[in-house]
Amino acid sequence: MRIFGTDGVRGKAGSDITPFLVLKLGISAGLYFRKQGVTNRILVGKDTRRSGYMIENALVSGLTSVGYDVIQVGPMPTPAVAFLTEDMRCDGGIMISASHNPYEDNGIKFFDRLGFKLDEKAEREIEEIFNHEEFLLNNFKTHTGIGSSKRIDDVIGRYIVQIKNSFPKNYTMQGIRVVLDTANGAAYKVAPTIFSELGADVVVINNQPNGYNINEQCGAISPHALSEAVKKYRADVGFGFDGDADRLVVVDDEGNIVHGDKLIGALAHYQHQNSTLKNQKIVATVMSNFALEEFLQTFGVKLLRCDVGDKYVSDLMKKEDLNFGGEQSGHIIFSDYAKTGDGLVSALQVIALLKQSKEKSSKALNIFELYPQKLINLNITQKKPLEEIAGYQEWLKKIESKKMRHLVRYSGTENKLRILLEGKDKNILESTMEEFSQFLAKALQ
């Protein structure tokens, strides 16, 4: 049975993600971490979804049954769990979150003892254990071997100190007004605290989680409320986070949403100017606009591409010994400060960029133009192999003959087909997308 997708385990809470599955997964993960473990501790965090209570309890039960002591830190951003796992010398870390998905979904992400997301090889090992029923039943602990659990509520301070240290010591946020949209998610406490302590004039919206309103018409997934708030409060910049705060969307002082590739380009340029960009290369995914690649070339920086998913960005960064990369969706990794995408670290780097440039965000974050690009998410009922669709290859050749770039892939977490087209002629792009998406929608009915 395959249980891992592109970003951990994810699905509808109560139907796909059941207490039985989570209990078994907790046992399997515990047995996996046991093989290279040294401290006998696992750290568990979660976002603000109501189903987190159900999943957390089942997970803790599974881990303690194979002898692990569990540290529960409650609602916490995903990058905080990654940081705390290493900082508190745990054998592994687990985050309960479905990130940007609606509240009815939930998921589980795993980190190794250094705070990195588990790679596919490790996920397959956990799956092998998960599917070996006899092995699971023969590895329960008894008597004094059974683990314990403890909830710690004050570790948020460690993460706040870590994040603040990523902001240049010679800068202050005095005189800067920011709007923070915490998406009723895991950053609802930590984000306002960090920006306030650094001296910013902070306006916070969507920071009243009730278990059901996470990502609901707010945050990085729906930044229109953030845009309106920036204009209303005449803010210098706005930051929208997703449910677990590993993603960032930026709104400039005019209320415009900054495209993710422009954000990556501006931050890469900022680091290049300060000689902090390692090996003059950055990592982005196959989704990124070709104009980003061309812009980076103008100051001698090379763009390396990987598959979609921040763990693939991180893997390529480690392989090439790089310290910056990201996805246009807002997962941005500054590996000097965080092991995974961290919306708060990224937001602080944007403020540092603005302080250095002494320009308004509408200018400082808009330093090159993108080629027209269109992305459509088709709701589908089946994930039929694309190469088996009659006429599909002919369509790709037709698109290429019009000098357009294409990327078609199934979502790893939802029943959707993502179609991306990019070209220099907007009219041709839109008409081609309309015909191509209709063709695929009909083929996948």
Side-chain angles (χ1 to χ4, degrees):
M1 177 182 177
R2 292 292 299 271
I3 52 177
F4 284 92
T6 56
D7 192 16
V9 180
R10 194 175 299 187
K12 294 280 183 242
S15 56
D16 302 318
I17 309 295
T18 65
F20 298 113
L21 180 141
V22 176
L23 175 64
K24 191 175 176 184
L25 184 58
I27 297 167
S28 305
L31 293 174
Y32 166 79
F33 284 120
R34 172 74 64 215
K35 290 190 295 181
Q36 58 270 327
V38 292
T39 67
N40 201 51
R41 291 195 300 270
I42 297 282
L43 186 133
V44 176
K46 61 182 179 179
D47 65 21
T48 57
R49 295 164 210 267
R50 184 70 171 266
S51 58
Y53 294 104
M54 172 187 77
I55 294 170
E56 182 180 30
N57 286 326
L59 194 59
V60 170
S61 180
L63 290 167
T64 54
S65 74
V66 292
Y68 260 108
D69 295 331
V70 182
I71 299 171
Q72 297 166 260
V73 296
M76 195 75 69
T78 288
V81 170
F83 163 72
L84 291 167
T85 296
E86 181 183 28
D87 190 62
M88 299 183 72
R89 306 298 192 272
C90 295
D91 288 342
I94 304 175
M95 177 65 181
I96 302 167
S97 175
S99 191
H100 60 278
N101 286 28
Y103 84 89
E104 58 265 25
D105 292 347
N106 216 325
I108 303 171
K109 305 177 186 182
F110 295 90
F111 299 90
D112 66 20
R113 62 187 179 85
L114 298 178
F116 291 109
K117 284 185 179 179
L118 295 188
D119 59 24
E120 290 185 346
K121 181 177 180 293
E123 290 176 345
R124 296 292 86 82
E125 286 188 44
I126 293 175
E127 282 182 345
E128 287 177 13
I129 297 171
F130 183 93
N131 291 312
H132 197 328
E133 198 83 29
E134 186 177 350
F135 181 71
L136 294 178
L137 293 173
N138 289 332
N139 276 281
F140 291 126
K141 298 293 184 181
T142 59
H143 306 301
T144 58
I146 297 171
S148 65
S149 68
K150 177 170 62 175
R151 185 173 295 278
I152 304 178
D153 296 320
D154 60 355
V155 293
I156 192 170
R158 297 190 189 203
Y159 178 60
I160 289 173
V161 170
Q162 169 73 4
I163 296 300
K164 287 169 63 179
N165 284 338
S166 72
F167 190 68
K169 296 288 192 298
N170 57 319
Y171 289 148
T172 174
M173 291 192 191
Q174 293 291 336
I176 292 182
R177 177 174 292 175
V178 300
V179 178
L180 305 177
D181 185 341
T182 63
N184 296 310
Y188 79 103
K189 286 183 180 178
V190 66
T193 301
I194 289 170
F195 281 87
S196 295
E197 290 187 3
L198 287 170
D201 177 6
V202 181
V203 177
V204 190
I205 61 174
N206 298 308
N207 63 330
Q208 300 291 327
N210 60 16
Y212 307 112
N213 58 0
I214 188 170
N215 297 318
E216 185 179 15
Q217 298 298 309
C218 60
I221 306 309
S222 185
H224 302 294
L226 174 62
S227 177
E228 291 303 312
V230 167
K231 289 186 286 186
K232 177 181 177 181
Y233 294 104
R234 298 179 182 177
D236 296 291
V237 66
F239 297 121
F241 306 98
D242 66 345
D244 66 339
D246 64 352
R247 178 184 297 200
L248 175 73
V249 165
V250 179
V251 169
D252 68 26
D253 57 286
E254 295 179 354
N256 299 311
I257 299 165
V258 179
H259 191 282
D261 283 332
K262 287 191 175 185
L263 182 62
I264 290 171
L267 288 169
H269 185 250
Y270 162 72
Q271 292 175 89
H272 172 73
Q273 287 180 315
N274 290 287
S275 301
T276 57
L277 194 64
K278 240 178 161 181
N279 295 325
Q280 295 305 291
K281 297 176 186 176
I282 75 166
V283 177
T285 74
V286 290
M287 298 287 285
S288 278
N289 199 288
F290 188 68
L292 170 62
E293 192 167 339
E294 290 185 331
F295 170 70
L296 294 171
Q297 289 170 356
T298 64
F299 51 97
V301 172
K302 184 177 181 181
L303 176 67
L304 305 181
R305 293 180 184 266
C306 64
D307 289 337
V308 175
D310 66 330
K311 71 178 179 181
Y312 299 116
V313 175
S314 178
D315 288 346
L316 187 53
M317 286 171 61
K318 285 188 284 184
K319 180 181 177 182
E320 297 288 334
D321 191 25
L322 307 180
N323 64 348
F324 180 67
E327 299 184 277
Q328 64 174 208
S329 61
H331 290 115
I332 300 176
I333 302 174
F334 290 87
S335 63
D336 291 338
Y337 309 117
K339 300 294 180 68
T340 185
D342 191 321
L344 288 162
V345 167
S346 301
L348 294 191
Q349 297 309 303
V350 171
I351 296 289
L353 181 161
L354 296 179
K355 295 289 288 188
Q356 179 169 295
S357 71
K358 298 179 182 178
E359 295 176 334
K360 290 185 175 182
S361 54
S362 52
K363 183 176 181 182
L365 302 176
N366 189 33
I367 52 180
F368 68 97
E369 292 302 318
L370 299 170
Y371 291 140
Q373 194 179 73
K374 194 168 184 67
L375 173 66
I376 285 182
N377 294 312
L378 283 182
N379 293 317
I380 56 173
T381 55
Q382 59 172 322
K383 292 186 177 181
K384 182 178 181 181
L386 296 172
E387 60 273 12
E388 294 181 8
I389 299 175
Y392 176 70
Q393 295 298 335
E394 288 74 12
W395 252 108
L396 295 186
K397 291 177 182 177
K398 181 179 177 181
I399 291 168
E400 290 165 2
S401 71
K402 297 180 181 181
K403 301 189 184 304
M404 285 189 287
R405 194 168 71 92
H406 57 76
L407 180 65
V408 185
R409 67 179 186 90
Y410 290 111
S411 167
T413 59
E414 300 173 275
N415 286 325
K416 291 183 178 180
L417 178 70
R418 308 197 193 283
I419 309 168
L420 173 73
L421 295 183
E422 179 187 301
K424 294 185 178 182
D425 190 310
K426 185 177 180 181
N427 292 329
I428 294 176
L429 178 73
E430 290 186 346
S431 61
T432 304
M433 175 62 89
E434 185 175 355
E435 294 176 29
F436 186 43
S437 60
Q438 287 176 356
F439 161 76
L440 287 171
K442 185 175 180 181
L444 295 170
Q445 282 180 348

